[in-house]
Amino acid sequence: TMLNCIESCVPGLDMKKLATFDMDYVFTQIRAKSVGEVSKLRLLCPDDNKTYADVELDLNEVRVQVGEDHTNKIELDNGMGMIMQYPTIDSFRDSGIRNITADNMLDVIGSCILQIYEDEGKKVYDPKDQTKKEVIEFIEQLNTKQFKKVQNFFDTMPKLKHEIKIKNPK
């Protein structure tokens, strides 16, 4: 539904190539222009986890934010590494992923690998030229330190985000 809304409101935008966080941003901006820039929210106060506070969010202040030290280049070992790309709607659709779970996490990672390289980039491999099984096996052979670098890519990748300060009415 969100995809259809964006495609209807922004003709010519290639949704297949749009990163998920960009799609979220575009949808938020469409919502701001069509319904109103201010959204009224009822949020749970974190100081007591019982009381709710009414707050207003100016959607024009919501931005895509990138984590510190974020990079799409993951150095593995001995001149070997990966260049990552951000997940798109199509990357999930093409791989049949509907929800990210522990069971399909390797598929998600595999769909985001743009290139694998060796010898400081002298040899480059396109995962599209490999079978899904070969890509999964490559990911499975990563050691803990290497896998944490992959996890860091996802943890620090751009996200639509806004911080709201809540004052407990009590």
Side-chain angles (χ1 to χ4, degrees):
T1 303
M2 189 165 91
L3 211 63
N4 291 336
C5 176
I6 294 172
E7 287 176 338
S8 296
C9 294
V10 189
L13 182 63
D14 189 354
M15 294 299 297
K16 295 173 183 166
K17 292 187 167 93
L18 207 58
T20 53
F21 54 85
D22 285 332
M23 188 179 67
D24 292 340
Y25 178 77
V26 170
F27 185 75
T28 302
Q29 292 305 303
I30 291 170
R31 192 271 183 213
K33 302 306 178 219
S34 62
V35 179
E37 288 85 7
V38 176
S39 182
K40 294 181 181 185
L41 306 172
R42 187 164 174 79
L43 302 176
L44 184 63
C45 296
D47 62 339
D48 69 3
N49 285 324
K50 294 178 186 173
T51 310
Y52 284 86
D54 294 323
V55 295
E56 291 186 349
L57 169 63
D58 183 347
L59 296 175
N60 292 317
E61 294 177 2
V62 178
R63 298 276 182 255
V64 173
Q65 298 177 18
V66 183
E68 286 185 36
D69 301 325
H70 177 72
T71 180
N72 70 331
K73 185 176 183 180
I74 300 173
E75 299 285 343
L76 298 174
D77 270 333
N78 304 321
M80 183 178 207
M82 300 184 295
I83 306 294
M84 304 295 286
Q85 61 187 354
Y86 300 120
T88 64
I89 291 298
D90 266 11
S91 64
F92 289 110
R93 188 182 301 158
D94 293 346
S95 58
I97 299 167
R98 292 205 171 269
N99 296 311
I100 299 173
T101 64
D103 294 335
N104 66 17
M105 183 53 69
L106 297 180
D107 291 332
V108 173
I109 294 168
S111 73
C112 293
I113 299 173
L114 182 64
Q115 292 179 339
I116 300 169
Y117 63 87
E118 292 181 302
D119 298 329
E120 306 295 333
K122 292 176 186 158
K123 291 182 184 175
V124 178
Y125 306 95
D126 187 337
K128 292 177 185 156
D129 297 334
Q130 313 302 316
T131 66
K132 182 178 176 179
K133 182 181 179 196
E134 289 171 325
V135 173
I136 297 298
E137 286 173 355
F138 171 78
I139 297 166
E140 288 176 330
Q141 60 85 31
L142 297 175
N143 64 38
T144 304
K145 183 180 175 185
Q146 293 167 333
F147 199 81
K148 282 186 180 184
K149 291 179 180 182
V150 174
Q151 182 180 358
N152 188 61
F153 166 78
F154 288 100
D155 289 345
T156 62
M157 75 180 225
K159 294 172 183 63
L160 189 66
K161 195 169 158 181
H162 184 74
E163 189 173 314
I164 298 176
K165 295 189 182 191
I166 302 172
K167 183 177 180 183
N168 191 323
K170 290 186 178 179

